[in-house]
Amino acid sequence: MRKDRAWSSFERPRGVRACLADAWRAYALQPGKYVGFLLAPLLAAGAAFAAAGYMAARLWADFVLPLRLLAEAVGGAAPALVWAALPPRAVALAAGAVVVVAAGFFVWSGVAAAQLRFVRLHGRLPGRADAPEAAREALAAGGRALAVGVPVALVEAGLVALAAWLRSCEGVAPVAGAVLVLVLAVLVAVAAPVAFVAHVVERRPLGQSLWLPVSGFVRLMGGFVIIGVLTLAMLVPAVACALLPLATWLLSAHAGAMSYLMGDAAEAVPAAATGIWFAGAVPAAAFVLLGMSLPLWAFAYRLAADAATTGRPRRSPAGRQGDEK
């Protein structure tokens, strides 16, 4: 198969290097078509993540930071007590940020997986004429992505909270336990892309997808780790540059809140500050999500190559019939 067409096939075995190369070719050979299909959903998802970041900044500056400083002033208090003292408005703000993040993840994961699945079925990137089919795929893929992402996020949050609690205890044993829990959290984060691709892109059952990283740990994890590390090495510098203005805005908001709480004269926040945040955050978040779509291709190639080399069917007969329809 010619290299300029190899990216469109998920039927052939690939090594890690070929997975990365073909993931890049999927974008580089037709960047306009690749980005054009994703552009509007990326901006919508970027707006959702920008709104979540704004709500998180307001939650920190208006509620968490004052409670934290108050707890330190009265002799210190456990972090859990600080969070328990949040008023209903702050809890609603935090819940709203979580809902908005879930909505952004639904949009991004749905459209990114729909583009992948379209290439698997048709051997080409979707165009304008394929919008109805791609929209149906995106809605189904977004729901399946949430089915994988929600339990993974809950497990990760529980493990991080457990590690923080163990770290706050006295003694060597709790600290060692916290380290082990954090290692387990890293393993869950590494296994999550396997389950995501299996359930969302290949349409395997949810239980089978969540169990796949465990049953194929030795066979699958090495390739996924290498792909993840190499793609992060390329994406992190670009992402850091894109997010630098937003980090400056957040640090300025934090410094302003600290200054006000310490008794300095409060100055009115410019009315344009919120607009400036969204004007910078939406395209930055869309750029980050675009970059995250490329590793998704490499992960999908890797899982498909595993099925090709081991002789395992990638989809059940019922799933294959559903795809053909």
Side-chain angles (χ1 to χ4, degrees):
M1 179 177 290
R2 290 171 49 187
K3 285 188 176 181
D4 61 346
R5 296 300 304 165
W7 65 270
S8 63
S9 172
F10 287 78
E11 303 297 332
R12 65 188 186 91
R14 283 181 175 89
V16 171
R17 181 179 177 181
C19 291
L20 290 167
D22 284 343
W24 172 250
R25 289 190 186 99
Y27 161 78
L29 293 177
Q30 303 179 79
K33 204 168 185 179
Y34 185 99
V35 178
F37 177 78
L38 298 175
L39 183 58
L42 283 180
L43 291 174
F49 285 106
Y54 183 82
M55 288 189 282
R58 292 265 57 89
L59 176 67
W60 173 261
D62 296 344
F63 300 101
V64 177
L65 183 60
L67 285 174
R68 179 183 172 186
L69 295 178
L70 178 62
E72 293 177 355
V74 298
L81 297 179
V82 174
W83 288 104
L86 290 175
R89 180 186 170 192
V91 175
L93 193 61
V98 171
V99 171
V100 172
V101 166
F105 178 72
F106 173 88
V107 173
W108 170 79
S109 59
V111 71
Q115 188 181 53
L116 259 170
R117 284 185 53 78
F118 190 93
V119 173
R120 287 167 63 95
L121 295 175
H122 303 285
R124 59 180 177 84
L125 290 172
R128 291 185 178 180
D130 307 306
E133 179 184 350
R136 291 192 297 269
E137 285 284 356
L139 291 174
R144 297 176 77 89
L146 286 178
V148 175
V150 169
V152 170
L154 291 176
V155 170
E156 287 284 5
L159 290 174
V160 172
L162 178 59
W165 178 77
L166 289 172
R167 180 65 181 82
S168 65
C169 299
E170 297 181 358
V172 177
V175 174
V179 173
L180 292 176
V181 171
L182 287 177
V183 170
L184 182 58
V186 172
L187 292 177
V188 172
V190 173
V194 183
F196 180 92
V197 173
H199 187 60
V200 180
V201 178
E202 296 194 348
R203 297 291 177 89
R204 303 189 192 189
L206 179 60
Q208 180 187 358
S209 300
L210 294 174
W211 178 250
L212 182 62
V214 179
S215 62
F217 185 84
V218 176
R219 189 180 71 253
L220 293 170
M221 286 300 101
F224 273 76
V225 170
I226 294 173
I227 290 172
V229 170
L230 292 177
T231 52
L232 283 177
M234 294 182 289
L235 290 176
V236 166
V239 169
C241 293
L243 297 182
L244 184 59
L246 307 183
T248 303
W249 190 96
L250 293 173
L251 292 173
S252 300
H254 172 78
M258 283 289 293
S259 179
Y260 173 75
L261 292 171
M262 293 175 67
D264 296 339
E267 297 183 1
V269 178
T274 302
I276 292 173
W277 163 262
F278 280 96
V282 172
F287 173 76
V288 173
L289 294 173
L290 175 63
M292 291 173 58
S293 69
L294 294 177
L296 186 61
W297 281 74
F299 289 143
Y301 285 137
R302 179 65 185 138
L303 196 58
D306 174 74
T309 55
T310 59
R312 291 180 174 85
R314 290 176 296 142
R315 297 187 297 270
S316 63
R320 191 185 302 274
Q321 293 172 4
D323 288 343
E324 290 173 354
K325 290 179 182 179

